[in-house]
Structure formats: C-alpha cells, structure tokens
Amino acid sequence: MKYFYLYNKFLLLLSIGLFFSITAFAQSIRGKVTDATSKETLVGASVTLKETGRSQAVQLDGYFTFKNLNPGVYTLQLRFISYKTKELKATVEDGRQSTINIAMDADTRQMLDVNITANSESTDKRARTLERNANQVVNVVSARNIEISPDITVANVIQRVSGVTIERSSSGEGRYPIIRGMEKRYINTLVNGIKIPSPDNKNRFIPLDLFPAELLERLEVSKTLTPSMEGDAIGGTLNLVMKDAPARRLFQANFAAGYNTVFNGGRDFQQFDRSYINKRSPAEINGNSYAATPADFPAKNLNFTQKSAPVNTNFGITFGDRFGKDGKLGFLVSGSFQNNYTGNNSTFFLPNAQPGLNNIPQFIELQSRSYSQQSRRIGINNKFDYKFNNKNKISLVNIFVRLDDYQSRLISDTIALNSLVDAQARTRWQYQSIYNSTLQGVHQLNDALKFDWSLAYSTANNHIPDQADFTHEYPVTKTSTSTDILQGMNRIWTRNSDKDYAAYLNLTDNFNLFGKKFELKFGGVERNKTRDAYYNSYSLTPLLGSNTSQAYTDINSAQYVFKSTGSSLYVPDGNTYTFKENVVAGYIQGKLQLTDRLEALGGLRIEHTQQNYDTELPDAVAYKSGKIRYTDFLPSGTLKYKLKENQNLRLSYYRALARPGFAELIPDGQQGEVFKESGNPAGLNHTTADNIDFRYELFPHDADEVLLGAFYKKIQDPIEFSAVKTGVTSQTLIPQNFGDARNYGFEAVATKYFGPFGFVGNYTYTKSKITSDKLFSYRTDAGQVTSRIQAETRPLQGQSTHIGNIALIYKNPKIGLDLQTAFVYTGARIALVSPYYGLDYWQAPTKQLDVSVEKRFAKKFSFYGKVNNLTNTPYILELHQSYSNYLSAPGARLLSLQTDANNKIIVQKDLFKTNFLFGIRYKL
C-alpha cells in the first residue's frame, strides 16, 4: 500500500508539473523570419521583445521562441545586417501559443537583376536555393560551411560532398577528386565558370590543393551537364566560385598556427638548403652542345639538417568596397598564405616485373621510406565590376595561386637477391602555379534578350629544378670488414607550361512558344592551348680510379664522373615537346515550361578537337610528331517536375567526352615513384560516355535537404594505366583503352537542423564493371611454365563501392559558437591496374575523423580550431592474394605489416598522423 500511495503521489505531481509546463509553453510567441524576396530564412537575426528586454537569435531551423509570457500585446523588434529594422505587434492569449511569420526587406543596392547583399552568396540557405533552381544536378558548398569546416584547401573540402572521394599526394594532402567512381581524368575544373589549364606535368586534371579554401564564395559540384556547359566532364564539373565584390565595405583577416604530430616522438623534419638549386640545367645555361662536368652539380642541396617540431602558419585577408554614385564600381581583393609542414613514414615492397608460378607475387626490394615536406601556398583573388546602368555591367577577375613543395625523401631499401641495403636520399623542389584573367560582360538588350561574353587568358606552370638523388650501399648484416659503397647520383630538370586563350559567347532569348514560356539559348567557345614541356636528366657514377669501388663517408666527400663524354650531353627525347590544341564548340539549348509543374530542357553541343604535337625524338622514331582530329556530338536533356514548391524530380541524360592527357599521346615518358611511365600515341583513343541520372529533391526548411538519386554511365574506350613488362625486373605504365565499361549506383543526402543542432550525412553506392585481358602464369601438363591470356572483370580504377560522410554540428548564433565533427569513409578501390590476372593494387578502406570549432568573442573576433585525421588513418595498398600461398612459394621472404594471411598481402603502408591548427579571425 505504501508503494502504491507513493506511486500515485508521484503521478499527481508529475501531472501538475506537466500541466504548468505545457501552460507556460503555450503562452509563448514562436516566429519564422525570412527574406521578403527570396523567402530564405535569416539565421542569426536578432529578435527583441521590447516590453521585457529579452532577445533571441533566429535558430538554424529559421525559428525563434519566447516562452513563459503573460497574456498581452508585445512589440517585436527585428534587426539583421544589411536588412531594414522592423517592428510589429504580437498578441499573446491565455493558454495559447502565438505563431507569426515575418518577412524582412533587404537594404540593398540594385546591380542589374541581382540583389547584392552582405550574405546573399555565402550561406547554406543560399546553397540550397541554388541546388533547387539549377538546370543541372548539382551540390553546393557555401563559404560559411567551408569557413567552419576542418579543411583549409579546396581538395579537402570536396571530400565532404556526396559521391566524392579524394586522391592524396605522398604528403597525405588531398589533391585530386573522384566523383561517383570516375577518376580525375573524367572531371573538369572551372573558376567562375571559366575552364582553366593544368600545371600537372602529364595530364589535364587540376591539383586542387593549389587553391586555399578561404578564397571561395562557394564550391559547385555538377553531376550532370546541359548543352551550354563544357562537354569534357563524364564524371562531373567542379566550379570554384571566388569571392565577389561586396555590397558595402568588407574587411576580414585571420591568422592561425599549428603542427603535425608526425614530428613528435623523436622524428624530426628533414630539411635541405634550396638556395643551391639552379633553376636551369647546364645545357640550358651553356647550350645543348655543352658537355657537363661534375662541378656543375653541387651536392649541398643533398645535405640534410633536422628541424624539431616545425610550426605551421596560415594567414588570410579580404578587403572590398563599392565607390561612385550608386556604388557603380565595386572591387575585392582576397589573399591567403599557408606554410605547412607534413610528412609520413612508409613501408613499401617493390614487386618483380613478372610474378611466379600461378601468379604468386615476388618482391625484389623491401623499402622503408621517410618523407618530409614543406608546402607554401599562396592565393590571390581580385575582382572589379562596373555597372554602367541597369542593363549593362562588366567585370574583370584576376586569380593567382602558387604552391611550392620542398620534399626530402629517405629510403632504406633491402634488396632481396643479395641481402644488401641501398640507402637513397632525394631532394625535390616543385613549384606549380595557375593564373587566370577574365573580362566579362552582361548586357540586357531588352526585357527578353540577354547577351553575355567572356575573354579569358590563363597560364599554368610546373617546375622541378634539379631534383637530386644519390645512393650508397652496405650489407644487411654489417661486420668489421664490411664497407659502405657509394653508388650513382641523378639530377633532373623538368618543367611544363600551358597558355590558354579563350572566348565565350552566349545569347539568351525568352518568349512564348505555343503559349508556353520558352527560353532559347545558343552560343559557343573557342580555346587555343599551347603546352611546352622540357626534360633533361644526368646520371653520374662514382670516381673509381684504380679501385673497384669508392667508399662512402658523406655526400660532401663523394666524387663523381660521367662514364663518357656522351653521357654528359643533353640528349633530346620525347619528354621535351610542344603540344597545341584548338577546341571549338557550339551549342543550342531550349527550356520549355510544359506545364506549371513540368519543365523540359534540352539541346545539342558540338565540340571539334584539333591537336598537333612535336617531340625532340629523332625523325626515325615512330610517332615523333602527330596530328589528331575528331568531332563529338553531345546531346543532352532534362525533365524537371515540381511536386511541390520545395520538392523536385529530375531525369537527365547527357553525352560527354574525356580527352587523353598530353603526355599520354607522346611516345616517351618519365620515371615515376615506382614505375616508368610512357605515352601510347599508336593505340589511344579519347573516351565518350552516355549518362543517365535521376534525383528526388526535398528542401523542407532553409538549410535542410533530402536528396535521393541514381545514376548510370555507359563508357566507351575508358582509359586506364596498365603495367607492361619492359625488362627482366622492370615494368612500364602505359595508358590503354579497355573496351566498354559500366558505372552505376545511387546516392542519398540528408541535412537536418534541430534548433542549434544539426546533422549532415551522405552515402553513395557505386558499382562499375570492366573486362580486360590479363596474363596468367601456369604449368602445363608437360611440366613447362608458360602464360595464357585470361579475361578478368573488375571495377574501374579509383571506384569505391561504398562512400559515406557524417557531420554532427552545433551552431548557436546567440553565443557565437560553432562546433563540427566530421567523419569520412572511403571504401576499397583499385589504385593500380596490373597486366597480370589477380594482381591489381587495391587501396584499403579509410576512415578519417576531423573536428573544427569557432567561438566568437569581442563582437568582431572569433577563435577557431581545426584538427585533422584524429584516427591517424593509414594509406594501405594490398594485393588480393593469399599471403600464406606467397610464403610457400620458392624464394619468398617474410613481409611485415601482414594482418590476414588467407586473403591479402599488404605491400604499402603510409602513416601521416594528426594535424592541429588554431587561430583568430576578425570580421568588420
């Protein structure tokens, strides 16, 4: 009875408490604040209840709430930057909640047909509006999202987008994107809608780690194409939209410092003196007929000094304003400087060119590698725009980015055949840059007819001056009589430059067709490109005199000679070439409003490609020079059905192409990290693909969204690298077409905010299939070992079956606090295609956890922090072969790193450790 009495008493008290809680909550004011024109919610707007003095900030879901109010009439005052202050009355009745919707008018200046406001382009809400209204399937990342993310380069930002993974450099930094399983060659990159050249020494794709993320207004990832878009984007298009001239004075600055924990625990940063590096080779200085001498190759850039706990520094500044009557002239300049130290510890097992019986792999070298890299990144964005009147506007945009990488690489290489260790040291300074200057005009000829044009000049440069490496060799087991023997030294100069001149013209007319709204758009582009590439290398051997070898003590005491006078001369080859390309494209595109809900867009794009190249190979060499011509017809169409005001269905088809890289059409190549690479002008075709995409879109509230999509690609003549045996123990990578391929899958995106809390998640499932002929080694019934051709079906290179992102977010505008925890999962994918059956190199799945925080203080200042790779995720390459079977084969040696003896052989493991960055930001 006692417990029954207490139980009933508890229920009574609980009921009374709930009654008063509900009553108090019911006597409240709840409101939504939006832009009067765009209907976007104004997160962060200040709402004050004048009678009580209480204030609230509009939360991420677009609402504010005042609770525990007495019945009566209240005055609400609303303030938000670049909006007119607004006051209104609200009546609170006894026991009820008053709900109101408030639209605020922007305090803006008109520029053509666009309202320029201080926050019109940079918020997540604006990003959702762009996604909803776009003609193509697109994902947009806003400047504010970039600012509070854990990332400082565009390459790392893009991995947060659904269906996108990144390929990392040897320093662990993100470099190239992979979209929906389509690797970097199938993706093009634009800056403000203008295609830019690549500084890559072999290919067309853009290394995205050149671009500091803070220069961007937003990042657009288009996964389908329309006729008015560049056609060489089977995988998709990246558009880096740079910061624009503001509506009123803007000033921002930030400074941050941090470190990478790879240099903790006794591991120092290995640095070298780059002041001794000569930017030009001896042949460039003295002429191609000059016979170089050992004195032309100082060794001081191969001396290493240790730097303990190097500090990373980042600095950024942005300033913009408008001048003249009605603010007709606007400008903005934004700059970024980043100086970061990274490194990794790597283990790599170099395979023999040919596997053993039954394709059991064999390894000839067991390498322990140590990388130290200093990266200096500079980015400058400058824009001027001038409005003559409400119908005519011009703008000039200048963008410059440069990345200097100073890399030291130390390798301890155990040679399996004779139990020797090759200790190799290499220094490399690589600097890459991109410059683009674009003059654009927009002219509203009448109410329906618009003409826009762009004239663009772009350059891209890549330089690696005097890459130096040397080797010395000693026994695995040292004795009192063993000697450390000096081996050879190599010096390489290589550079390439692209110059692009491009003109874009577009004419858009709006009229009624059969009583329906119709937009007709046509135009074209012509782009002239010239690429110049230079390569020169020298190989020196130890001075022997009367001895059979030279003992090694240190690099400064080493003495080198050339084997012959001929080896000291510049030898022209296919790596020095000029490549010219002219692309002329035209399109016609129509958009018809079939019904109030159904819109159709379609048309045809035609692209004609004309290429000429010439190398410095002897005239007798096949494909020393060449001419290539082809024309592609690229139809596309989209149906967009509006289920509701905030819901769309999209069905798209487009045809696209991918041109081979420049070096892939040259009959020569350079030595890579592991294998020599060579072009394939005799048998390489450009790639085309037919693409179908379907997506459901729901935008329930402002920054919230739900996207569900499926895609299918039929790819003709896909290009992938294959390793071909070119020596007893060597292989060469060459690009090849692999028949036809299929790529399909689906993706899901969800963003939801609950007051200050938010969840962002996406998942992409991708499946691809390609069949190619491989070699398989086996023993015949007669006991003879031979090889046969055997077909193998596998995924496309770079495609992961499963990709996922999860971000947990806390945003509280009232106290100025932003927190974000971001997790990225990338499934297994093929990193390198082997010519041998079952011996493709797979990158193991990766899981990375990053954290960022920003806290506002003193009104205009904020503290921020970014922590990357908390999970210390390794980069692992593996063969999907049995390690146990390998050990049972003749000549096998124990390999470290192994975790699953039955199913895989780990051949490489790199560790990059955690990176910390903390800073202060100021906003006027």
Side-chain angles (χ1 to χ4, degrees):
M1 287 293 293
K2 179 180 179 181
Y3 294 108
F4 181 75
Y5 168 76
L6 292 174
Y7 176 72
N8 281 280
K9 184 175 181 180
F10 170 76
L11 288 179
L12 177 62
L13 292 173
L14 180 62
S15 300
I16 294 172
L18 287 173
F19 171 78
F20 283 107
S21 298
I22 293 171
T23 303
F25 177 79
Q27 289 180 185
S28 60
I29 298 175
R30 176 175 170 81
K32 184 176 184 180
V33 184
T34 61
D35 181 294
T37 303
S38 68
K39 308 305 178 185
E40 297 176 5
T41 57
L42 303 180
V43 174
S46 174
V47 186
T48 302
L49 210 58
K50 297 187 70 173
E51 285 75 11
T52 64
R54 293 164 57 186
S55 294
Q56 290 279 339
V58 175
Q59 300 296 303
L60 292 174
D61 58 3
Y63 288 89
F64 68 88
T65 304
F66 290 101
K67 301 178 182 179
N68 304 320
L69 298 176
N70 295 320
V73 179
Y74 292 86
T75 304
L76 296 173
Q77 184 182 74
L78 292 91
R79 296 179 181 272
F80 198 45
I81 184 172
S82 69
Y83 283 82
K84 297 176 182 178
T85 300
K86 186 167 187 174
E87 288 191 1
L88 71 158
K89 301 289 185 180
T91 301
V92 176
E93 298 180 2
D94 189 17
R96 301 188 63 181
Q97 175 178 279
S98 178
T99 303
I100 54 176
N101 293 315
I102 306 169
M104 295 185 69
D105 296 313
D107 185 8
T108 65
R109 300 170 221 183
Q110 298 296 316
M111 295 289 288
L112 292 179
D113 58 350
V114 179
N115 289 328
I116 299 178
T117 62
N119 67 331
S120 63
E121 296 294 333
S122 60
T123 64
D124 285 350
K125 300 175 297 302
R126 175 62 174 167
R128 300 295 84 79
T129 300
L130 292 171
E131 291 174 346
R132 183 170 65 246
N133 297 333
N135 289 325
Q136 74 275 21
V137 172
V138 63
N139 296 101
V140 180
V141 184
S142 69
R144 181 56 182 160
N145 196 320
I146 293 171
E147 188 176 74
I148 63 174
S149 77
D151 309 309
I152 63 172
T153 68
V154 171
N156 288 321
V157 168
I158 199 172
Q159 68 180 320
R160 316 293 174 184
V161 177
S162 65
V164 181
T165 61
I166 55 174
E167 184 179 304
R168 299 184 183 275
S169 66
S170 58
S171 66
E173 288 293 315
R175 195 160 177 81
Y176 299 111
I178 298 171
I179 301 178
R180 290 174 164 178
M182 303 303 296
E183 64 144 340
K184 50 192 178 293
R185 71 167 59 250
Y186 301 111
I187 300 164
N188 68 19
T189 301
L190 316 177
V191 172
N192 296 327
I194 302 297
K195 192 173 182 181
I196 57 174
S198 169
D200 190 273
N201 64 330
K202 305 181 187 72
N203 300 287
R204 300 173 179 274
F205 36 78
I206 308 296
L208 295 178
D209 57 340
L210 264 71
F211 293 88
E214 61 183 315
L215 296 184
L216 268 61
E217 186 73 29
R218 65 180 181 272
L219 174 63
E220 300 173 347
V221 182
S222 296
K223 298 174 179 176
T224 63
L225 302 181
T226 64
S228 61
M229 299 172 66
E230 299 270 2
D232 56 341
I234 294 174
T237 294
L238 307 180
N239 187 23
L240 282 56
V241 181
M242 298 295 173
K243 289 181 178 178
D244 203 353
R248 52 177 52 81
R249 179 167 297 176
L250 169 70
F251 178 74
Q252 298 177 358
N254 61 273
F255 174 79
Y259 67 98
N260 191 305
T261 56
V262 74
F263 302 115
N264 288 350
R267 161 76 195 276
D268 288 333
F269 182 85
Q270 300 286 334
Q271 61 184 0
F272 60 95
D273 192 342
R274 50 211 180 235
S275 66
Y276 290 97
I277 293 179
N278 199 324
K279 289 187 176 181
R280 296 191 299 162
S281 69
E284 293 177 276
I285 296 172
N286 303 292
N288 288 342
S289 61
Y290 173 74
T293 68
D296 293 317
F297 307 98
K300 291 190 175 182
N301 58 323
L302 284 166
N303 283 291
F304 297 98
T305 57
Q306 283 70 45
K307 186 180 182 70
S308 299
V311 177
N312 300 333
T313 54
N314 287 204
F315 175 75
I317 188 169
T318 300
F319 179 67
D321 206 347
R322 306 202 74 83
F323 297 100
K325 184 179 179 181
D326 299 324
K328 288 188 175 182
L329 176 63
F331 86 94
L332 177 134
V333 59
S334 181
S336 175
F337 173 77
Q338 300 174 1
N339 183 43
N340 297 320
Y341 296 87
T342 58
N344 80 69
N345 302 314
S346 172
T347 301
F348 177 70
F349 307 133
L350 182 67
N352 196 347
Q354 182 172 331
L357 183 65
N358 296 321
N359 278 17
I360 300 298
Q362 297 177 331
F363 301 95
I364 57 173
E365 295 179 1
L366 313 180
Q367 298 182 353
S368 175
R369 302 176 176 183
S370 175
Y371 289 87
S372 296
Q373 181 163 306
Q374 179 186 4
S375 298
R376 286 185 176 176
R377 185 177 293 107
I378 298 173
I380 300 173
N381 169 39
N382 168 240
K383 179 171 184 179
F384 292 92
D385 63 52
Y386 186 80
K387 183 193 74 167
F388 293 96
N389 50 48
N390 288 333
K391 294 186 177 181
N392 296 279
K393 175 185 174 182
I394 62 171
S395 61
L396 176 65
V397 182
N398 293 284
I399 298 161
F400 175 76
V401 291
R402 172 168 167 157
L403 176 62
D404 289 68
D405 283 331
Y406 308 97
Q407 185 187 83
S408 303
R409 186 187 72 177
L410 303 177
I411 295 180
S412 177
D413 178 6
T414 303
I415 303 174
L417 297 178
N418 50 15
S419 298
L420 294 174
V421 174
D422 276 357
Q424 183 190 84
R426 190 188 75 180
T427 62
R428 187 182 69 175
W429 172 26
Q430 179 179 22
Y431 55 100
Q432 297 179 307
S433 65
I434 297 175
Y435 170 72
N436 169 261
S437 182
T438 302
L439 181 66
Q440 297 176 313
V442 180
H443 310 280
Q444 195 71 42
L445 303 180
N446 57 44
D447 291 342
L449 189 62
K450 184 177 76 171
F451 172 64
D452 64 87
W453 54 270
S454 299
L455 298 176
Y457 168 72
S458 304
T459 62
N461 293 281
N462 174 64
H463 295 262
I464 305 178
D466 196 8
Q467 175 178 297
D469 71 78
F470 80 98
T471 305
H472 58 99
E473 187 176 82
Y474 53 87
V476 171
T477 304
K478 289 186 177 182
T479 66
S480 58
T481 59
S482 61
T483 306
D484 196 342
I485 304 299
L486 182 68
Q487 303 295 308
M489 179 172 69
N490 300 299
R491 311 295 279 259
I492 299 173
W493 281 261
T494 179
R495 66 174 185 272
N496 55 271
S497 64
D498 276 24
K499 289 185 179 179
D500 281 15
Y501 297 89
Y504 297 75
L505 300 174
N506 300 287
L507 188 66
T508 307
D509 193 13
N510 290 275
F511 53 91
N512 285 336
L513 181 67
F514 307 119
K516 305 291 185 181
K517 291 182 179 179
F518 184 72
E519 177 189 88
L520 176 65
K521 186 175 182 179
F522 59 90
V525 59
E526 180 171 2
R527 182 182 304 105
N528 288 290
K529 175 191 292 291
T530 299
R531 164 167 284 219
D532 292 308
Y534 175 83
Y535 181 87
N536 190 8
S537 65
Y538 298 89
S539 295
L540 294 85
T541 60
L543 175 63
L544 300 180
S546 59
N547 300 316
T548 57
S549 63
Q550 181 184 151
Y552 170 77
T553 54
D554 61 69
I555 186 60
N556 299 311
S557 303
Q559 294 179 296
Y560 290 96
V561 295
F562 288 99
K563 284 186 176 181
S564 64
T565 303
S567 61
S568 66
L569 295 172
Y570 168 67
V571 180
D573 61 15
N575 293 310
T576 299
Y577 62 88
T578 297
F579 198 110
K580 294 186 177 182
E581 179 180 85
N582 185 51
V583 175
V584 179
Y587 73 90
I588 184 169
Q589 173 180 298
K591 183 165 67 172
L592 180 62
Q593 195 69 41
L594 295 171
T595 70
D596 291 341
R597 294 181 179 272
L598 181 61
E599 175 185 279
L601 183 149
L604 175 68
R605 184 180 186 91
I606 302 174
E607 294 201 3
H608 176 70
T609 304
Q610 180 175 314
Q611 299 169 328
N612 301 277
Y613 72 85
D614 186 33
T615 71
E616 292 195 0
L617 286 167
D619 292 338
V621 175
Y623 302 100
K624 169 200 180 296
S625 59
K627 295 182 179 180
I628 303 168
R629 308 283 188 276
Y630 50 88
T631 300
D632 291 279
F633 292 83
L634 309 173
S636 61
T638 299
L639 291 175
K640 179 180 174 183
Y641 185 76
K642 184 182 293 185
L643 294 171
K644 293 182 179 179
E645 198 62 34
N646 63 347
Q647 293 184 61
N648 294 325
L649 289 176
R650 296 178 188 265
L651 179 63
S652 304
Y653 163 80
Y654 71 95
R655 184 168 175 81
L657 76 150
R659 299 179 180 90
F662 307 106
E664 293 173 342
L665 297 171
I666 302 300
D668 206 342
Q670 301 177 21
Q671 178 63 41
E673 287 286 316
V674 180
F675 303 110
K676 178 181 170 62
E677 300 176 10
S678 181
N680 181 20
L684 195 64
N685 299 316
H686 74 289
T687 304
T688 56
D690 295 288
N691 308 269
I692 299 174
D693 197 284
F694 175 79
R695 188 163 90 172
Y696 165 77
E697 305 170 341
L698 171 64
F699 304 93
H701 297 290
D702 315 310
D704 294 356
E705 66 176 348
V706 175
L707 308 175
L708 302 173
F711 56 90
Y712 175 83
K713 298 177 185 292
K714 181 181 179 181
I715 308 159
Q716 298 89 38
D717 289 325
I719 300 173
E720 294 189 353
F721 274 89
S722 179
V724 175
K725 183 180 178 183
T726 52
V728 177
T729 60
S730 61
Q731 296 176 340
T732 298
L733 298 180
I734 66 168
Q736 294 181 327
N737 296 115
F738 285 85
D740 290 348
R742 304 289 187 273
N743 183 29
Y744 56 91
F746 67 86
E747 60 184 19
V749 179
T751 302
K752 177 63 179 175
Y753 287 96
F754 306 88
F757 296 96
F759 167 84
V760 179
N762 61 67
Y763 168 76
T764 303
Y765 172 85
T766 309
K767 200 73 174 177
S768 61
K769 185 168 63 174
I770 185 171
T771 301
S772 58
D773 291 334
K774 300 287 192 76
L775 292 171
F776 184 80
S777 174
Y778 71 104
R779 190 184 301 277
T780 65
D781 294 339
Q784 182 181 3
V785 177
T786 186
S787 295
R788 66 170 180 257
I789 299 296
Q790 188 164 326
E792 182 177 31
T793 300
R794 55 173 175 80
L796 287 167
Q797 186 173 339
Q799 178 253 303
S800 298
T801 303
H802 304 286
I803 303 168
N805 283 271
I806 295 176
L808 302 178
I809 300 170
Y810 178 80
K811 295 184 179 182
N812 191 327
K814 185 175 181 180
I815 64 174
L817 179 62
D818 291 273
L819 296 170
Q820 184 176 148
T821 300
F823 175 77
V824 180
Y825 174 82
T826 303
R829 61 191 184 192
I830 294 177
L832 177 65
V833 177
S834 170
Y836 294 97
Y837 186 91
L839 291 180
D840 294 331
Y841 285 70
W842 287 76
Q843 180 184 337
T846 61
K847 309 174 188 70
Q848 181 167 322
L849 181 66
D850 307 313
V851 175
S852 61
V853 59
E854 182 170 348
K855 176 66 176 72
R856 188 180 68 245
F857 67 94
K859 293 184 179 180
K860 297 178 181 179
F861 290 88
S862 60
F863 166 83
Y864 66 93
K866 300 174 185 287
V867 184
N868 295 96
N869 196 22
L870 276 169
T871 49
N872 188 25
T873 302
Y875 172 86
I876 295 176
L877 282 184
E878 55 194 29
L879 300 174
H880 289 181
Q881 293 281 329
S882 167
Y883 178 60
S884 298
N885 290 344
Y886 159 76
L887 288 178
S888 63
R893 298 185 62 182
L894 291 173
L895 304 177
S896 61
L897 308 179
Q898 307 311 311
T899 59
D900 185 351
N902 295 322
N903 298 300
K904 64 185 179 182
I905 303 173
I906 296 176
V907 298
Q908 182 176 343
K909 183 176 182 180
D910 296 357
L911 291 171
F912 305 102
K913 298 296 186 70
T914 305
N915 191 76
F916 295 87
L917 188 70
F918 301 98
I920 292 177
R921 181 178 289 115
Y922 172 84
K923 291 184 178 182
L924 181 65

